[in-house]
Amino acid sequence: MVQIVLDVGCGIGLLSILCAQAGASKVYAIDASNIAREAKHVVKANNLSDIITVLHGRVEDLQLSEKVDVIISNWMGYMLLQESMLGSVIIARDRWLKPGGLMLPSYATLYLAPVTTNKHRDITDFWRNVEGIDMSAIIPAAKTHAFQEPIVEKVSSENVLAGPCMVKYININRVGIDELESISTEFRFSFMKSASLSGFALWFDVEFNGNLLSPFPIRCRFPFSSADGVPAFGNQRQQTTNLNEALVMSTGPEDPQTHWKQTLLYYLHPKEIEKGQQIEGILTLSKNYRPARSIWIDIQYTLDGRNYFGYNTVMK
């Protein structure tokens, strides 16, 4: 069966080449940036110009002469949605995907959990003694500078203070652009141990629906997880090598590190919490247009229903 593939945001063309090597009869590789010029050279160097057509331009402005069987894209940004190309992927889906066609990835899930880290202490310790000089007067300004925006870094699973909640589950086969303008979810956590609450961590999974792949199989090169495994933290998946099952790539704290790591929302002043203490509130993620592709983050919560706290920032 002929399989025509569209790669949205192809970059230097790696995914397009993998699709051609896996048996795709035709690949359209689209990128709006000048990297598309380099992708053409890479495709030619791999003798795949007869299969892969590189198109330089925005999805919104281009035209294809035919519908496609599969749309692939590495659209995910930090915290899943920051600087992501999902809007362009949705437009490509609605314009060019055949009925019953395949989206890869097929689903995405964003998670939130409270965390504790040594970040505040490390900043304090550093400025208290800089080459024998007491610079502690700079500590408040240093913390403000360090924590005024979300930080992308790896956090250990041991630093997660409660099982995560699901912020958003996205069916990429059906989601509309307007659904992503603003995402709001209520959360409630019970702390698993006494610690200093440093803030919150966000991470995501993306799922590849393996049941629809025949006769265009994925040759998995990365550590995916099974959608049917016993979940760690209550929602993560165990690894699988069965390509008849859906495959999941996770960026969670307990999984192998990816370049996405986790997104940390640090509070300026940590809060001491006790094991069993309850925290509940609302997280809102809204599309921000200045700067473009940024996200406005707002968290409002209470501890044990008494003390009220608020936090908001922009992830650029």
Side-chain angles (χ1 to χ4, degrees):
M1 181 183 296
V2 174
Q3 292 288 331
I4 304 172
V5 179
L6 171 60
D7 181 1
V8 179
C10 66
I12 59 173
L14 176 60
L15 291 182
S16 296
I17 291 173
L18 291 176
C19 288
Q21 291 177 343
S25 61
K26 182 69 176 178
V27 180
Y28 292 100
I30 295 178
D31 205 289
S33 73
N34 290 332
I35 195 68
R37 300 171 184 171
E38 304 305 321
K40 291 182 180 180
H41 297 315
V42 173
V43 168
K44 184 177 180 180
N46 285 272
N47 300 313
L48 291 171
S49 298
D50 57 332
I51 296 177
I52 302 173
T53 299
V54 179
L55 301 173
H56 182 196
R58 302 192 315 150
V59 165
E60 294 83 349
D61 301 328
L62 295 173
Q63 296 292 330
L64 296 186
S65 60
E66 58 187 333
K67 299 284 187 177
V68 303
D69 301 290
V70 182
I71 294 179
I72 64 170
S73 179
N74 181 10
W75 57 262
M76 298 81 71
Y78 296 118
M79 201 175 63
L80 185 63
L81 298 174
Q82 187 264 346
E83 287 195 344
S84 83
M85 298 183 300
L86 184 52
S88 296
V89 172
I90 292 170
I91 292 172
R93 179 200 68 193
D94 293 345
R95 294 178 65 184
W96 297 314
L97 187 65
K98 293 179 181 179
L102 179 63
M103 300 294 296
L104 295 175
S106 314
Y107 308 93
T109 309
L110 179 63
Y111 300 103
L112 174 77
V115 295
T116 182
T117 75
N118 295 326
K119 196 80 172 183
H120 293 84
R121 187 181 66 189
D122 291 344
I123 291 176
T124 299
D125 291 346
F126 175 81
W127 288 108
R128 278 179 177 166
N129 187 342
V130 181
E131 298 296 332
I133 301 173
D134 182 3
M135 301 288 288
S136 57
I138 203 71
I139 290 175
K143 287 185 176 180
T144 299
H145 176 75
F147 302 140
Q148 63 184 349
E149 295 181 6
I151 299 174
V152 176
E153 62 184 12
K154 177 68 176 177
V155 63
S156 169
S157 58
E158 288 77 16
N159 293 113
V160 179
L161 296 174
C165 77
M166 183 176 69
V167 174
K168 181 68 174 179
Y169 178 77
I170 301 174
N171 182 341
I172 303 164
N173 304 278
R174 299 179 180 178
V175 66
I177 293 177
D178 56 343
E179 187 179 334
L180 304 173
E181 288 290 322
S182 184
I183 295 170
S184 185
T185 187
E186 297 181 357
F187 60 83
R188 178 179 298 166
F189 300 110
S190 179
F191 293 113
M192 297 183 295
K193 59 184 177 181
S194 299
S196 178
L197 174 62
S198 301
F200 293 88
L202 289 150
W203 66 86
F204 64 88
D205 294 346
V206 287
E207 181 176 319
F208 298 77
N209 194 325
N211 295 326
L212 301 179
L213 295 176
S214 181
F216 180 46
I218 284 181
R219 293 167 185 165
C220 179
R221 299 170 182 263
F222 303 102
F224 293 97
S225 307
S226 168
D228 300 320
V230 178
F233 285 137
N235 53 36
Q236 301 291 296
R237 286 92 169 195
Q238 289 183 329
Q239 292 184 353
T240 182
T241 56
N242 185 355
L243 293 182
N244 291 320
E245 299 178 2
L247 304 174
V248 176
M249 181 190 75
S250 177
T251 65
E254 80 282 15
D255 293 293
Q257 181 174 313
T258 67
H259 82 274
W260 291 285
K261 302 179 184 178
Q262 291 83 47
T263 299
L264 277 294
L265 312 176
Y266 280 108
Y267 287 106
L268 187 58
H269 304 290
K271 298 167 179 61
E272 297 303 317
I273 52 93
E274 301 294 330
K275 180 179 180 180
Q277 193 171 1
Q278 302 287 321
I279 179 175
E280 57 183 290
I282 298 175
L283 167 69
T284 301
L285 305 174
S286 302
K287 185 176 290 186
N288 205 52
Y289 294 92
R290 293 186 179 179
R293 297 199 178 208
S294 60
I295 293 181
W296 176 259
I297 304 169
D298 183 81
I299 298 179
Q300 308 294 327
Y301 71 92
T302 63
L303 286 169
D304 288 333
R306 296 190 301 269
N307 299 319
Y308 173 84
F309 301 96
Y311 169 90
N312 54 68
T313 187
V314 173
M315 187 169 190
K316 300 177 182 179

